Amino acid sequence: TGGEGTSAAGGALTLTAGQGATSAGTVDITAGANQGGTGGVLTLVGGASTTAAGGAVSISSGTGATDSGSMTIKTPDGGSGGSSGAMVFSTGTSPSGSTGSVSFQSSAATGGAGGEINLFVGAGDTGTGGRVFARAGSSSNGAGGLIKLDGGASTTAAGGAVTLTSGAGTS
């Protein structure tokens, strides 16, 4: 816990693993296991403010001389007869203003190809395959939201295509 400040900034809290000649140290933060119930919860929350914007939460992989570090956010496999955990990316509601945006973006490349964004749902072996839904927001006092799919532009070759294909079937 960082120290509290009643008239100035509160103290910072920093967790840093040690440097190494061959490999750097690791920082592990793990909630507790439970033998007879639900495992412990791990919560990361930015600081609240009563007079300005709340604090941000930033999670970033490390920079590197060649590649930057990768980042994996996933739920583990489910146990016997159960399901794997759900994953929710959601912004909060707003009583008098706009709600926040959710963006998935790969960056532009200099000297190479731009990164891909892939959305895949799981296959089913005894039921239907997973579904993908895309739905724009409704409005009670204006136009409904827009869904727009654009192929990429090119200044030296053909623009990118947009292809929608239904699944193959046997009947």
Side-chain angles (χ1 to χ4, degrees):
T1 302
E4 295 184 6
T6 57
S7 60
L13 175 63
T14 303
L15 298 176
T16 304
Q19 298 180 358
T22 57
S23 63
T26 301
V27 175
D28 291 317
I29 301 174
T30 305
N34 189 335
Q35 298 298 320
T38 303
V41 176
L42 177 62
T43 303
L44 299 175
V45 180
S49 173
T50 58
T51 59
V57 175
S58 178
I59 301 174
S60 176
S61 64
T63 60
T66 54
D67 298 336
S68 62
S70 61
M71 181 178 296
T72 301
I73 301 174
K74 63 176 249 178
T75 62
D77 297 338
S80 176
S83 301
S84 61
M87 187 174 291
V88 177
F89 295 92
S90 176
T91 63
T93 62
S94 176
S96 59
S98 299
T99 58
S101 298
V102 177
S103 298
F104 294 95
Q105 176 179 327
S106 65
S107 295
T110 302
E116 294 181 344
I117 295 178
N118 296 306
L119 297 176
F120 295 113
V121 295
D125 61 353
T126 59
T128 60
R131 297 180 289 182
V132 176
F133 292 98
R135 182 174 61 190
S138 60
S139 174
S140 59
N141 195 25
L146 170 72
I147 293 180
K148 185 178 181 183
L149 298 176
D150 288 333
S154 174
T155 58
T156 59
V162 175
T163 303
L164 297 176
T165 305
S166 61
T170 58
S171 60

